[in-house]
Amino acid sequence: MPLLFQSKRLCFSCFYLFATLFLALYVTVSPSIKCLLFRVTPYDPIQSPLFSYPSSYGQHKHVLPTLRSSCSSPVFFSDYPFVFKEIKQCCQNQTDSPLRYMQGKAATFGGNFSLEKRISYFDALEQRIEFPCGFLKPFPINDYDRAEMGSCKEVVVVSAIFGDHDKIRQPKGIGSKTLDITCFIMFVDDVTLKGLINHNLISKESNEYKIGVWRLVNVSSSEGLYRNPAMNGVIPKYLVHRLFPNAKYSIWVDAKLQLVVDPLLLIHSLVIKEGVDMAVSRHPFFTNTMEEAMATTRWKKWLHIDEIQMQMETYCRNGLRPWSPSKLPYLSGRTA
């Protein structure tokens, strides 16, 4: 053996050099190459871009900033196969909801029930009672979209853009099997739809609009629900269970946010694992509703300041107080 290889220090240095070069190569290679070289299971997250946008789209519509650097990268998890199978099994064993909802016609979508009347339903124990839960004025979507929404039977991820205020953001870190049991639905109004057509993201002649994983559902403005687009955008946020009656689990994602966690991971870690019915995100900036009301006024997200003032006064009359440490373990009085 040559004297060159008899030196233990030299052998250790060479081993350290090659190990360092290998790790550097592993870190710097593109995700697509890394996926081919280091694939472990068939459940690896989707690596290829879900959709490519033209440079002119959404230039002035930025995602909310975050102080956490990890939020810019997708979150992967090793027990994805187990989570996928568990959620799929839960969806197969689902039972029909015992709740019944009031039907009829009214001048407004919500029916203009007084606060006292609505509170009276909170303690209702009769199974045959019908709850006034919106839709007392038709939700203006076409029958084709309504049928597609009814076909979502496992998980649905919902978002909405009204007034063309935001841009469509594709999720990251989606598992390879997630799209088999998950619907991604984006509600848009006529103004937003027109903007997408102008950017050549969708075809005007098509009956079905899809951008990446998101299927667009047009809510017609000509058959207006409310004059304020922001109020119309709240409908799918709070009434997902009415719009998707066959879905077992639902997730609302604000259009200003980008989903970087597989929705199955969110459901499993926040709902199924904890044994709860609902998980609510914390607002990234504000800890109480009053701060949000002031920000809404300052950013002119709501044109009529008097309406915001009236709403806040109503909240305060019914017991709302600014958040304080005395409300712990609730970390916020305001949700995203």
Side-chain angles (χ1 to χ4, degrees):
M1 180 180 294
L3 295 177
L4 180 65
F5 294 99
Q6 295 181 7
S7 172
K8 294 182 179 179
R9 181 175 298 179
L10 178 62
C11 290
F12 178 78
S13 299
C14 292
F15 173 79
Y16 179 80
L17 174 62
F18 285 113
T20 304
L21 291 175
F22 176 80
L23 291 175
L25 176 65
Y26 178 82
V27 173
T28 56
V29 292
S30 65
S32 58
I33 298 178
K34 190 186 300 182
C35 180
L36 295 175
L37 294 178
F38 305 104
R39 176 174 291 277
V40 179
T41 72
Y43 291 94
D44 285 347
I46 298 174
Q47 300 288 346
S48 58
L50 297 173
F51 191 81
S52 297
Y53 293 98
S55 58
S56 60
Y57 174 65
Q59 290 180 327
H60 304 292
K61 300 171 184 177
H62 303 291
V63 68
L64 282 176
T66 176
L67 299 177
R68 300 181 182 181
S69 58
S70 61
C71 288
S72 61
S73 302
V75 178
F76 304 149
F77 55 110
S78 59
D79 55 347
Y80 175 79
F82 168 76
V83 170
F84 175 82
K85 293 177 181 178
E86 183 176 10
I87 292 180
K88 190 172 183 178
Q89 184 176 3
C90 288
C91 295
Q92 291 174 347
N93 299 332
Q94 67 177 325
T95 57
D96 295 333
S97 172
L99 296 178
R100 297 166 57 91
Y101 302 107
M102 189 176 296
Q103 305 293 330
K105 296 182 179 180
T108 63
F109 180 79
N112 279 345
F113 289 88
S114 66
L115 180 63
E116 292 75 14
K117 183 66 174 177
R118 292 189 182 278
I119 291 178
S120 68
Y121 288 94
F122 290 172
D123 299 324
L125 300 178
E126 299 179 26
Q127 291 188 358
R128 294 186 177 181
I129 192 170
E130 294 183 344
F131 293 87
C133 188
F135 295 97
L136 295 173
K137 189 176 182 180
F139 195 60
I141 60 176
N142 61 50
D143 293 337
Y144 182 78
D145 288 334
R146 197 181 304 275
E148 286 295 311
M149 291 160 57
S151 67
C152 298
K153 298 182 178 180
E154 287 119 345
V155 179
V156 59
V157 180
V158 185
S159 188
I161 300 177
F162 284 72
D164 201 25
H165 288 305
D166 296 295
K167 69 178 182 179
I168 299 176
R169 311 174 199 277
Q170 300 297 327
K172 294 182 178 180
I174 300 297
S176 58
K177 297 285 186 179
T178 297
L179 296 179
D180 294 344
I181 63 172
T182 305
C183 298
F184 283 81
I185 304 294
M186 175 74 69
F187 291 95
V188 297
D189 59 359
D190 294 337
V191 175
T192 305
L193 197 66
K194 183 178 179 180
L196 297 172
I197 293 174
N198 291 339
H199 283 94
N200 296 319
L201 294 175
I202 56 176
S203 172
K204 188 176 182 180
E205 288 73 24
S206 176
N207 294 325
E208 179 180 349
Y209 306 116
K210 192 168 184 180
I211 298 179
V213 301
W214 294 102
R215 190 186 190 286
L216 308 187
V217 174
N218 180 217
V219 181
S220 177
S221 305
S222 60
E223 306 173 40
L225 300 168
Y226 297 103
R227 289 179 298 176
N228 192 323
M231 292 183 66
N232 293 329
V234 170
I235 292 174
K237 179 176 183 179
Y238 292 121
L239 299 179
V240 175
H241 58 290
R242 297 292 308 278
L243 293 168
F244 301 89
N246 298 321
K248 176 68 173 179
Y249 301 104
S250 63
I251 297 176
W252 168 264
V253 180
D254 192 274
K256 285 184 173 58
L257 303 177
Q258 183 178 29
L259 190 65
V260 296
V261 178
D262 189 289
L264 303 188
L265 174 61
L266 288 177
I267 292 171
H268 187 267
S269 60
L270 300 178
V271 179
I272 295 179
K273 185 179 179 181
E274 299 295 332
V276 299
D277 296 324
M278 180 184 297
V280 182
S281 62
R282 182 180 177 182
H283 195 281
F285 300 126
F286 309 122
T287 57
N288 66 70
T289 306
M290 296 181 181
E291 289 178 336
E292 172 67 10
M294 290 186 287
T296 299
T297 303
R298 182 169 62 252
W299 295 340
K300 297 181 180 180
K301 293 171 61 178
W302 201 275
L303 298 179
H304 304 289
I305 298 178
D306 293 342
E307 293 180 358
I308 298 179
Q309 181 178 350
M310 185 185 305
Q311 184 179 19
M312 294 306 301
E313 290 175 350
T314 302
Y315 287 165
C316 292
R317 283 197 302 269
N318 288 277
L320 176 69
R321 296 293 180 270
W323 185 88
S324 67
S326 63
K327 292 187 177 183
L328 292 173
Y330 300 102
L331 299 178
S332 173
R334 167 72 175 87
T335 60

